[in-house]
């Protein structure tokens, strides 16, 4: 059993994509894992993922429409085993709200680089984000399943 939380800035582009891709791997691998996503910012709380990301993900068989944005909170550090930040700035913001008694491990999703924010760019940015997240997620799941 693993509890994974993916965090970006708005929780409408990158982290919902990671959420949907992880949920699809949980289903295809028959795992009993809990997956969620959140944003460090509150601007989009309650909103569906960005239409451009929903469309790009759906073309790959990943359904994001049931997801709703929420803001990351200190309790997340007690409710999840791993928290993955999409970029360095998200990581720094999460460190600011990490409680003293945190049990979750906090790390950068791509380990050594950022998942670029696609919000202000073109459609190819969304495809690139989906490629990066899909490739990394397979490796992450392999590693976590090996224990
Ligand atoms: P995300 O993308 O962090 O991948 O969800 C963004 C969404 C919204 C904004 C920035 C990034 N925004 O500034 O509203």
């Amino acid at each position: 059993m693993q509890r994974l939380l993916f965090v970006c800035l708005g929780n409408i582009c990158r982290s919902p994509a990671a959420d949907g891709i992880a949920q699809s791997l949980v289903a295809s691998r028959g795992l009993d894992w809990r997956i969620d996503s959140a944003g460090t910012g509150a601007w989009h709380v309650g909103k569906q993922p960005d239409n451009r990301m929903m469309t790009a993900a759906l073309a790959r068989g990943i359904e994001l429409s049931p997801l709703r944005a929420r803001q990351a909170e200190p309790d997340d550090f007690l409710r999840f085993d791993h928290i993955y930040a999409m970029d360095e700035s998200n990581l720094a913001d999460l460190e600011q709200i990490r409680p003293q008694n945190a049990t979750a491990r906090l790390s950068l999703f791509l380990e050594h680089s950022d998942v670029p924010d696609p919000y202000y760019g073109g459609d190819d940015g969304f495809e690139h984000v989906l490629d990066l997240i899909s490739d990394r997620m397979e490796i992450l799941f392999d590693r976590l399943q090996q224990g």
Side-chain angles (χ1 to χ4, degrees):
M1 170 69 174
Q2 297 278 354
R3 298 166 301 172
L4 313 182
L5 178 67
F6 300 96
V7 179
C8 61
L9 177 61
N11 193 207
I12 56 167
C13 296
R14 293 165 293 175
S15 62
D19 192 335
I21 287 166
Q23 286 190 42
S24 138
L25 277 182
V26 161
S28 66
R29 297 189 182 202
L31 302 169
D32 179 25
W33 290 7
R34 194 161 106 216
I35 307 296
D36 196 11
S37 62
T40 57
W43 309 285
H44 302 281
V45 168
K47 301 254 181 66
Q48 267 192 328
D50 187 286
N51 273 317
R52 297 164 294 174
M53 185 55 91
M54 285 202 290
T55 302
L58 194 57
R60 299 177 184 218
I62 307 288
E63 179 63 74
L64 302 183
S65 63
L67 300 177
R68 295 293 180 277
R70 73 170 180 91
Q71 189 172 23
E73 57 192 23
D75 254 14
D76 286 324
F77 285 87
L78 302 167
R79 295 199 303 246
F80 292 91
D81 301 305
H82 296 274
I83 300 179
Y84 297 106
M86 291 292 131
D87 66 31
E88 290 279 3
S89 143
N90 308 146
L91 187 70
D93 288 341
L94 285 165
E95 279 163 355
Q96 292 298 315
I97 64 159
R98 171 163 51 183
Q100 290 282 345
N101 59 342
T103 47
R105 285 191 211 167
L106 174 62
S107 58
L108 203 54
F109 178 66
L110 290 184
E111 290 190 311
H112 304 298
S113 57
D114 290 348
V115 178
D117 186 347
Y119 190 68
Y120 295 105
D123 288 347
D124 53 341
F126 289 84
E127 296 299 335
H128 180 53
V129 164
L130 287 169
D131 288 342
L132 285 173
I133 293 175
S134 301
D135 289 352
R136 173 72 185 138
M137 199 67 79
E138 295 269 356
I139 294 164
L140 192 69
F141 270 54
D142 288 348
R143 196 175 293 170
L144 291 170
Q145 281 187 271
Q146 281 159 16

